[in-house]
Short mmCIF file of all heavy atoms in Angstrom, two decimals:
data_model
loop_
_atom_site.label_atom_id
_atom_site.label_comp_id
_atom_site.label_asym_id
_atom_site.label_seq_id
_atom_site.Cartn_x
_atom_site.Cartn_y
_atom_site.Cartn_z
N ILE A 109 0.76 -10.74 4.07
CA ILE A 109 -0.13 -9.99 4.94
C ILE A 109 -0.25 -8.58 4.38
O ILE A 109 0.75 -7.90 4.18
CB ILE A 109 0.43 -9.92 6.38
CG1 ILE A 109 0.93 -11.29 6.85
CG2 ILE A 109 -0.62 -9.35 7.33
CD1 ILE A 109 -0.12 -12.36 6.88
N LYS A 110 -1.48 -8.14 4.11
CA LYS A 110 -1.72 -6.81 3.57
C LYS A 110 -2.54 -6.01 4.58
O LYS A 110 -3.57 -6.48 5.06
CB LYS A 110 -2.47 -6.90 2.24
CG LYS A 110 -1.72 -7.67 1.16
CD LYS A 110 -2.52 -7.74 -0.13
CE LYS A 110 -1.76 -8.49 -1.21
NZ LYS A 110 -2.55 -8.57 -2.47
N VAL A 111 -2.08 -4.80 4.88
CA VAL A 111 -2.74 -3.97 5.88
C VAL A 111 -2.92 -2.56 5.32
O VAL A 111 -1.95 -1.94 4.87
CB VAL A 111 -1.93 -3.90 7.19
CG1 VAL A 111 -2.71 -3.13 8.26
CG2 VAL A 111 -1.59 -5.30 7.70
N VAL A 112 -4.15 -2.07 5.35
CA VAL A 112 -4.41 -0.67 5.04
C VAL A 112 -4.39 0.08 6.37
O VAL A 112 -5.17 -0.23 7.28
CB VAL A 112 -5.78 -0.49 4.34
CG1 VAL A 112 -6.04 0.99 4.07
CG2 VAL A 112 -5.80 -1.27 3.03
N LEU A 113 -3.50 1.06 6.50
CA LEU A 113 -3.26 1.67 7.80
C LEU A 113 -2.72 3.08 7.66
O LEU A 113 -2.29 3.50 6.58
CB LEU A 113 -2.29 0.82 8.61
CG LEU A 113 -0.79 0.83 8.24
CD1 LEU A 113 0.02 0.08 9.29
CD2 LEU A 113 -0.49 0.28 6.86
N ARG A 114 -2.69 3.80 8.78
CA ARG A 114 -2.02 5.09 8.84
C ARG A 114 -1.65 5.39 10.29
O ARG A 114 -2.24 4.86 11.24
CB ARG A 114 -2.91 6.21 8.29
CG ARG A 114 -4.01 6.68 9.24
CD ARG A 114 -4.66 7.97 8.75
NE ARG A 114 -5.64 8.47 9.72
CZ ARG A 114 -5.36 9.29 10.73
NH1 ARG A 114 -4.10 9.68 10.93
NH2 ARG A 114 -6.30 9.68 11.56
N SER A 115 -0.65 6.23 10.47
CA SER A 115 -0.29 6.72 11.79
C SER A 115 -1.37 7.68 12.25
O SER A 115 -1.87 8.50 11.46
CB SER A 115 1.06 7.43 11.73
OG SER A 115 1.29 8.16 12.91
N SER A 116 -1.75 7.62 13.52
CA SER A 116 -2.76 8.56 14.03
C SER A 116 -2.11 9.87 14.46
O SER A 116 -2.80 10.78 14.94
CB SER A 116 -3.51 7.94 15.21
OG SER A 116 -2.62 7.63 16.26
N GLY A 117 -0.79 9.98 14.29
CA GLY A 117 -0.08 11.20 14.62
C GLY A 117 0.47 11.88 13.37
O GLY A 117 0.08 11.58 12.25
N SER A 118 1.41 12.79 13.59
CA SER A 118 1.97 13.57 12.49
C SER A 118 3.25 12.98 11.92
O SER A 118 3.86 13.55 11.02
CB SER A 118 2.26 15.00 12.97
OG SER A 118 3.16 14.99 14.07
N SER A 119 3.67 11.82 12.43
CA SER A 119 4.90 11.18 11.96
C SER A 119 4.65 9.71 11.63
O SER A 119 3.67 9.11 12.10
CB SER A 119 6.01 11.30 13.00
OG SER A 119 5.63 10.64 14.20
N THR A 120 5.55 9.13 10.82
CA THR A 120 5.44 7.71 10.47
C THR A 120 5.74 6.85 11.69
O THR A 120 6.66 7.11 12.46
CB THR A 120 6.44 7.37 9.34
OG1 THR A 120 6.08 8.13 8.18
CG2 THR A 120 6.40 5.90 9.01
N ARG A 121 4.94 5.79 11.87
CA ARG A 121 5.12 4.86 12.97
C ARG A 121 5.21 3.45 12.43
O ARG A 121 4.82 3.20 11.29
CB ARG A 121 3.97 4.98 13.98
CG ARG A 121 3.92 6.34 14.66
CD ARG A 121 2.64 6.58 15.43
NE ARG A 121 2.68 7.88 16.11
CZ ARG A 121 1.63 8.46 16.67
NH1 ARG A 121 0.44 7.86 16.64
NH2 ARG A 121 1.76 9.63 17.27
#
Side-chain angles (χ1 to χ4, degrees):
I109 314 300
K110 299 179 179 179
V111 185
V112 178
L113 74 172
R114 77 168 184 89
S115 167
S116 61
S118 59
S119 61
T120 297
R121 296 168 178 168

